[in-house]
Amino acid sequence: MSQVRKPDRSRRSEHSRQAILEATRALVSEVGYGKVAIETIAARAGVGKQTIYRWWPSKGAVIFDAFLALSEGAEGQGAALPDTGDIEADLRTVMRATVAEFADPEFEKPVRALNSEISNDPDLAAQYREKLAGPVDEAKKERLRSAQRAGQLAADADLDLLLEVLYAPLFQRWLHRSGPLTAEYADALVGVTLRAFGP
């Protein structure tokens, strides 16, 4: 007498969740945040609206998780920064990669949508800091502490301020589309930052 195998609900749920995240990224890229609705995400993913609402309280929360999954996939080995022993070379590598990422239309559209939501949703902003920005910044600061121990940065450098000086101009240029995002620009930001926070 053969046993009837019960369906694996966890596998089915994960399949649905991934379909929702992929559908969300695709729709934001195709039509922009404003025209994406929970109904259109559900239709594209082949699930019911209630399936989405079971996991996410709002459209912004779905977009955030879709972006978080994209970031996790891109990082692969996690948020750790390279450590060759040369802080200038390592920061140039990271900043050039960041500039290239922000200049990539496939990455840029969902990130703009996410930033629009974060600016209007305090709960989503808190999630972003807790789940993504906070851990990534901590990984960056660990690399900067290593540079401090090696005498490549001032021992009393404010590492939060250093990260703001390094990244804020890039973010502003991207946000306002006020100039090109190039490797040369990335290198210039690294140079300015190291002059300001060097030993």
Side-chain angles (χ1 to χ4, degrees):
M1 186 169 157
S2 63
Q3 286 186 321
V4 176
R5 185 178 292 178
K6 290 183 178 179
D8 185 340
R9 289 190 175 167
S10 65
R11 182 181 296 172
R12 188 173 64 197
S13 294
E14 182 57 23
H15 176 76
S16 296
R17 184 176 171 278
Q18 289 302 320
I20 291 163
L21 296 176
E22 288 169 16
T24 301
R25 286 194 295 269
L27 285 165
V28 168
S29 293
E30 289 168 19
V31 301
Y33 175 81
K35 294 182 180 175
V36 175
I38 293 294
E39 292 81 1
T40 55
I41 295 171
R44 174 71 66 94
V47 301
K49 281 195 308 182
Q50 290 310 314
T51 300
I52 296 177
Y53 283 120
R54 189 182 316 139
W55 289 317
W56 295 281
S58 66
K59 179 173 76 169
V62 181
I63 288 178
F64 171 73
D65 272 1
F67 174 71
L68 184 63
L70 187 67
S71 295
E72 287 168 351
E75 286 171 10
Q77 74 274 20
L81 271 62
D83 190 348
T84 65
D86 180 343
I87 189 63
E88 182 173 6
D90 292 344
L91 288 180
R92 282 185 177 208
T93 297
V94 169
M95 291 302 289
R96 285 181 176 202
T98 303
V99 163
E101 194 172 47
F102 274 77
D104 178 355
E106 290 304 308
F107 178 87
E108 197 231 14
K109 285 181 183 178
V111 177
R112 281 196 184 276
L114 176 64
N115 275 278
S116 173
E117 281 303 288
I118 285 173
S119 67
N120 294 305
D121 185 337
D123 292 337
L124 192 59
Q127 274 189 64
Y128 175 77
R129 285 192 304 273
E130 178 191 340
K131 293 183 180 179
L132 186 60
V136 169
D137 281 354
E138 191 51 44
K140 291 172 185 172
K141 285 191 279 189
E142 189 51 45
R143 174 65 188 95
L144 297 174
R145 289 184 196 105
S146 172
Q148 284 179 311
R149 291 190 292 271
Q152 297 175 342
L153 292 173
D156 62 349
D158 180 331
L159 300 184
D160 290 306
L161 181 59
L162 187 155
L163 289 176
E164 287 182 15
V165 169
L166 183 61
Y167 284 92
L170 165 60
F171 184 75
Q172 179 173 310
R173 179 176 283 207
W174 170 78
L175 187 64
H176 298 292
R177 305 179 199 268
S178 59
L181 300 177
T182 62
E184 292 76 17
Y185 181 63
D187 291 349
L189 292 177
V190 171
V192 166
T193 303
L194 291 181
R195 282 195 295 278
F197 293 93

